[in-house]
Each structure stands twice: as structure tokens, then as C-alpha cells.
Amino acid sequence: MIAQLWQYVLAGVVVGAIYALIAAGFVLIYQVTGLINFAQGEFAMIGAMTSSALATGGMPVLEAAAIAVLVASVTGGLCYLLAIRPARAATGVTLIFITLGLDVALRGLGLFVWGTNPLSLPAFSGGAAITVLGGALPPQAMWVLLTDLLVFAALYLFFRHTYAGTAVRAAVANPPIASTFGIPLRTFAFWSFVAAAAIGGLGGVVVAPITSATYDMGLTLGLAGFVAAVLGGLDSLPGALVGGFVLGIVEKLAGGVLSTGWEQGVGFLILVLVLVLRPQGLLGRAARRA
Amino acid sequence: MYGRFGLVLLALVAVLVWFLPSYYTGLLTQIGLYALVTIGLNMFMGYAGQVSLGQAAFVGIGAYTSAALAVKGHVTPWLGLIAGALVAALVAYVLSFIALRLRENLLALATLALGIVINVVFNEWEFIGGSSGFKDIPGFALGAFTFDQRAYAILAWALVALGIWFAGNVVRSSFGRALIAISAGELGAQTLGVESERLKRQTFVLSAVYAGVAGAVYASSFSYIDPSSFSFLLSVNFVLMSVIGGIRSLWGAVIGAAVVVALGQVLQNVVPLVLPSARGDFQQFFLGVILIAMLILLPRGITSRLREARA
């Protein structure tokens, strides 16, 4: 029994790592623009589908992965330029609907380009399953966790130890005043979309060998990413990391103990509880804009 | 005015169904039911200034209540329709205590999440058929007459006429003006004595009643439902109808429903000619693009343009 539960926890850690990446994208965009980007999961779909399609066509996995992240980033930038920026005078609800439209459009585009059949991506490295305290993890899990480590370390270094990162934090803290100091808010908004899409795309690439890639995977991943981000507080990158792991583990435990259909349901029940009981999230400060 | 136009539309539908092929009669029913949901949604989103991304769940609750009563309890769909509306209202009432404390972004998230949780319940609850849903749901009947396609179209549009008449009275009453005040600024409305919590709750429940009624008729007219009929994508479609027609407009709801259904038909027929490899739900792409384009170019919907032209 305990061994079984432990196995669920390990599986939860792996999906949680993916959720954390998508949640990080939400947090980036939310911090810089005050916008919840409902299309975030689709960037992961684009990453997963592009890399799988290229690898199926015979390209080496790491090359395919790099191109996929690039494609996702370009998509993210285009989303901002074509849909968000022209409507920047709009109010909150309109912008929510616009990102909702982006989500639907990108999923439809994925269907156009890749069809309904699932694609698969070979694991980045072969080898036997890794055993952790009696539970088994696929070798790909190490790549997933390594990606999380690198991405969050890079974000930390960027925000804490670079000039540009400090400028972004200033822009987040007080947009009008940052603007009078010559900080280009709109450029930052653009790059937040590019970065969020790149991170989301990377999440899709590393998860593809585990779950395989389908055109409609973005919705589920995106929603889980939301829950993780809200759980962590929406304006906190460490919160996104913690929220991702908490959600992944709880989902897999619920899925294992109840039935897999409940995985998503339990995630949303947590979301609702958090929204009611602690809207600022586990690690977030009191909500500013929400 | 709303009541009279509603009756004109009903009369038009009642005539059209005798000339249209049954496929198009089915589409008319679909438009009517979607319009009904969107009228309710527009009161909540357009007038009260809130947002719901889970409206499909209330349609599902209405459909499942009526279907379960009819299939398991042999209850007539007429009572099932009332029961569906009541259960949807009850669920909305309970959920409002969670959801309506939130605003904008978080309200959107919460309603989306609740919609998906309800869909999971449909999927996992074996008593109501689990993932396979209900089939052979009994139809409506009046005496010895069992409803056919034509009768369903007329029923749907009779409900639209009734729904738009009622909604028209609501939005033009002091209640409706209070809703508009809430959407303009909740705090300001409160200082003027508007009980925004109660009003938002009542509007949310009312929108669920509209959705529940539409769901109950849908279940009987298609005689088959499963959880995928009430997915997140349907909720997005309602948002699209609302935005296309004009979010603060009751006629907009009818126009939006008609445009979205017609658009779906056109895309289904035209896209394969241009792109033979396309298959599945490829219309999604266009629906998304149209939603974005509408919001950028015509954020208050088609009806806003009509109103300007008339003024």
C-alpha cells in the first residue's frame, strides 16, 4: 500500500514539474501585464507537437527540441503582437476573452497542422528505469526535473542579478513610475509572452516522451498550469514551482486512489478552495490586481 | 417590444419549419436553444459585468436532470424541464457563494474550473451513465402527439420568445439598471444602496435557469447526451455568441447564436474545399480568430453597429 502510494507521489512529481513550467509562464505574463493568458497550455502543445513531428521525420531529438522551443517562442510573440497589443485599450474581461480566443485558435491550428493522431517523441536518453526508495521513475523524468531546475535557476538569476531583470521588477512594482524612468513597459509585455511561450514549449517538449503529444493536450496542461499558478499565488515564481509539485502529487494520489477521471476534478477542487480560503495563494502576497 | 418581436420570430419559425428540410429545422432548434442560454449569459456578463466560462455545465445539469428523470423515473420531460431549471438554479445558487466573491480574472478561472468539475462529475457518476451518458431519452409529448423536429423548433423558439420577453422586462427595470451600475463600478453601486452581492447572485441563478431549460429541451430533442456534449468548448462557444451579437444586448444573443451556428455550417462545408486534409473540429481555429477579431474591431458586437446606424 505504502509502496503504491509512493509510486503515485513519484508520478506526481514528474507531472508536477511540467505544471510548474507552465505555471511559471502564467506568472511571468501576469506579473508584467496583469493578464491571465488562457492560451498558455497551447504553447506546451506546440512544443510537444513540433518536436515530435520533427523527430518522427528523422531529426535528432535535441535538435528537434531546440526548433520546437523556437517555434513556440515565435508563436508567443505573434500572439502578443497580433491579438493582445491591438486591444491594449480594452478592459479586463475583453482581454480574458481574447486569450480564450487565442487558446481555441491555436488548438484548431494544431489540429490543422498535425491532425488528430497522437505523435510520440523518443526519450532524450535510454537506459533502465531509475529507482528512488523502491519507486520507479522513467529515465525521462530526470530530464524533466533537470529542465525545471535550469529554468527556475535562470529566472532567479535574471530577476535578481541582471539589470534587465531589475527593470522588469520595477515595472511590476509600479508601472507608471517605472515608465517615467524610461522602462519600456510594452516591450517587456512582448518579451514576457515570448519567454512564457518558450518555457511552456520547453515543458511540452520534455513531457512529450512521457505522455505522447496530441493537438488537444494544451487545454489540460494549461488548466493544470493555472491551478498551480493560483495555488502558488499568481505573482510568485517560487510559488509556481511549489504549486506545480503540490498539484501534481495530489492529482496522482487522487487518480490512483479514486479513479483517473478524478485527477483533473481534484485539481480544480483545490483551486476553488484556494480561491475561497486563501486568494493570495500559498506563497503569494495579498492580491494586487485580481 | 422584446415580447412582440419574440412572437414575430416564433411565428416566423412556425411557418419556416413547414418549408425547410428537416436538417435545417434541427439547426433552427439548435439556434433557439443556444440563443436561450446566451440571453441568460448576457444578463450576467453584459448587464451585470461579470464573466462565466462554465455556462455549458448548467446546460448539462438541465439536460442530465431531465434525462435521468425521464429514463430512470419515467417522468414526463415537461416536468423534467422544470426540474432541470430548478436543479441548475440550485447548483448556481450554491456555487455563487464561492464564485461571486471573485472578480474578472479569478472569476473567469473559478467558473471555468467549476464547469470542468461538473463535467468530471458527469463522467464519473455511474448512476447518470458515466462517460456513455444517456441514450433513448424520451421526447416531449402533448396528448397522443409525440414531438417531431418541427415541434422542437417551435418549442425552442417559444421559449426564446418567453425568455427574451422576461429578460427584457428584467433589464429595463430598476433591477436591470442596478446591474448596469454594478458593471460600471461595484463599489460605487454599493454606496448608492445597490445590494450587489444579492443582485449578482440572482442574475447568476437566472442565467443558470435559462441554461437549464435549454439543456432539458436539448436532451429530449437529440434523445442522446454524454459528458462531451457539455464541454469547455461549448462554454467558449456561448462566450463567442455573446461577443458576436453584443454582450449587453438581448437581441445580440439571438443574432450571435444564429451567426455562430451558421458559421459552423459554412466552415464545415467550405474548409474541406480549400484544405482537403483538414478534419475534425477544425472550425475551432476560425471561431478563435473571429472571437479575437470581433473583440479588437467591434468589441460591443454586431448590434452596437446596428444601433449606431439607426441613431
Side-chain angles (χ1 to χ4, degrees):
Chain A
M1 185 61 200
I2 298 291
Q4 191 64 43
L5 289 179
W6 176 238
Q7 185 61 47
Y8 294 143
V9 170
L10 285 180
V13 166
V14 178
V15 291
I18 305 294
Y19 296 164
L21 287 178
I22 295 166
F26 277 120
V27 172
L28 274 181
I29 292 180
Y30 181 74
Q31 282 204 307
V32 177
T33 65
L35 185 72
I36 292 202
N37 175 27
F38 279 83
Q40 189 63 29
E42 305 308 326
F43 299 141
M45 180 275 286
I46 289 170
M49 294 302 280
T50 311
S51 58
S52 304
L54 290 174
T56 310
M59 189 181 279
V61 173
L62 291 182
E63 244 175 276
I67 294 180
V69 173
L70 193 68
V71 170
S73 326
V74 171
T75 312
L78 286 177
C79 283
Y80 176 76
L81 292 178
L82 296 178
I84 308 293
R85 204 176 143 156
R88 62 180 174 271
T91 56
V93 173
T94 308
L95 287 170
I96 293 173
F97 290 164
I98 287 183
T99 65
L100 200 63
L102 278 176
D103 173 75
V104 176
L106 289 177
R107 190 158 354 107
L109 199 63
L111 188 61
F112 257 132
V113 179
W114 294 295
T116 49
N117 292 331
L119 296 175
S120 60
L121 183 68
F124 292 11
S125 58
I130 303 154
T131 0
V132 184
L133 296 177
L137 278 177
Q140 182 67 17
M142 287 301 118
W143 286 96
V144 173
L145 293 172
L146 185 68
T147 307
D148 261 45
L149 187 69
L150 290 177
V151 166
F152 278 91
L155 286 172
Y156 177 81
L157 290 177
F158 173 75
F159 280 112
R160 294 287 150 180
H161 295 285
T162 67
Y163 189 75
T166 312
V168 175
R169 283 197 289 137
V172 170
N174 193 327
I177 291 184
S179 190
T180 60
F181 278 88
I183 288 174
L185 299 181
R186 232 174 265 157
T187 313
F188 282 1
F190 170 76
W191 286 108
S192 75
F193 267 81
V194 173
I199 296 172
L202 193 58
V205 169
V206 293
V207 79
I210 298 176
T211 62
S212 85
T214 55
Y215 81 95
D216 59 356
M217 69 193 289
L219 186 62
T220 322
L221 281 177
L223 293 175
F226 280 139
V227 180
V230 173
L231 211 57
L234 263 183
D235 58 357
S236 154
L237 282 169
L241 189 63
V242 173
F245 283 116
V246 169
L247 177 67
I249 292 168
V250 172
E251 268 193 14
K252 286 295 165 191
L253 281 174
V257 175
L258 296 168
S259 87
T260 47
W262 277 103
E263 277 183 14
Q264 222 189 5
V266 167
F268 284 118
L269 285 178
I270 298 177
L271 171 70
V272 169
L273 283 179
V274 171
L275 286 176
V276 172
L277 300 177
R278 197 177 156 79
Q280 73 271 34
L282 298 178
L283 297 186
R285 285 158 306 194
R288 283 170 304 132
R289 272 177 284 221
Chain B
M1 184 184 97
Y2 285 108
R4 224 172 300 157
F5 269 118
L7 287 178
V8 170
L9 275 184
L10 173 62
L12 194 67
V13 169
V15 173
L16 271 179
V17 292
W18 298 99
F19 300 100
L20 287 174
S22 71
Y23 178 73
Y24 289 97
T25 310
L27 288 183
L28 268 184
T29 312
Q30 202 182 1
I31 293 173
L33 296 179
Y34 284 173
L36 200 58
V37 181
T38 312
I39 292 169
L41 191 58
N42 277 6
M43 280 192 277
F44 183 65
M45 298 205 307
Y47 287 88
Q50 307 301 304
V51 49
S52 168
L53 301 183
Q55 214 63 10
F58 295 123
V59 181
I61 288 172
Y64 267 101
T65 306
S66 166
L69 284 174
V71 173
K72 306 254 173 186
H74 305 288
V75 177
T76 158
W78 292 107
L79 284 177
L81 187 147
I82 294 168
L86 286 178
V87 175
L90 186 70
V91 174
Y93 181 75
V94 173
L95 295 184
S96 71
F97 287 94
I98 301 170
L100 298 187
R101 300 166 42 148
L102 306 164
R103 264 171 258 292
E104 293 198 348
N105 279 331
L106 292 183
L107 177 62
L109 257 182
T111 50
L112 191 162
L114 290 170
I116 290 181
V117 170
I118 290 170
N119 207 272
V120 170
V121 173
F122 292 156
N123 249 311
E124 295 298 313
W125 194 5
E126 288 304 324
F127 177 74
I128 55 169
S131 59
S132 48
F134 282 112
K135 51 178 190 287
D136 301 325
I137 300 165
F140 281 82
L142 269 180
F145 171 69
T146 317
F147 272 40
D148 56 7
Q149 282 293 333
R150 289 188 190 114
Y152 278 115
I154 294 171
L155 174 63
W157 283 89
L159 289 169
V160 170
L162 186 67
I164 207 164
W165 168 75
F166 184 78
N169 284 339
V170 168
V171 300
R172 284 176 302 174
S173 67
S174 63
F175 184 94
R177 289 193 293 276
L179 290 184
I180 293 174
I182 293 173
S183 76
E186 189 161 352
L187 193 61
Q190 282 171 346
T191 59
L192 293 174
V194 171
E195 291 179 72
S196 67
E197 287 291 315
R198 189 169 59 85
L199 263 59
K200 285 196 295 184
R201 172 163 308 128
Q202 287 169 346
T203 315
F204 190 53
V205 169
L206 193 57
S207 80
V209 168
Y210 277 74
V213 167
V217 177
Y218 173 90
S220 280
S221 73
F222 281 74
S223 79
Y224 171 78
I225 54 170
D226 69 27
S228 71
S229 326
F230 312 106
S231 66
F232 170 62
L233 200 64
L234 184 62
S235 291
V236 176
N237 264 302
F238 291 135
V239 168
L240 183 62
M241 292 172 205
S242 177
V243 167
I244 284 187
I247 189 166
R248 187 176 288 177
S249 157
L250 299 178
W251 289 116
V254 180
I255 294 172
V259 169
V260 170
V261 170
L263 209 63
Q265 292 300 311
V266 171
L267 291 174
Q268 222 164 54
N269 293 314
V270 170
V271 174
L273 300 179
V274 187
L275 281 161
S277 62
R279 58 191 175 276
D281 276 334
F282 50 76
Q283 305 100 312
Q284 285 180 28
F285 170 72
F286 295 98
L287 295 181
V289 170
I290 291 165
L291 179 58
I292 297 167
M294 280 298 296
L295 287 165
I296 293 172
L297 303 174
L298 211 59
R300 284 176 302 138
I302 291 177
T303 47
S304 71
R305 191 47 65 86
L306 295 178
R307 222 170 288 154
E308 279 159 26
R310 207 169 47 190

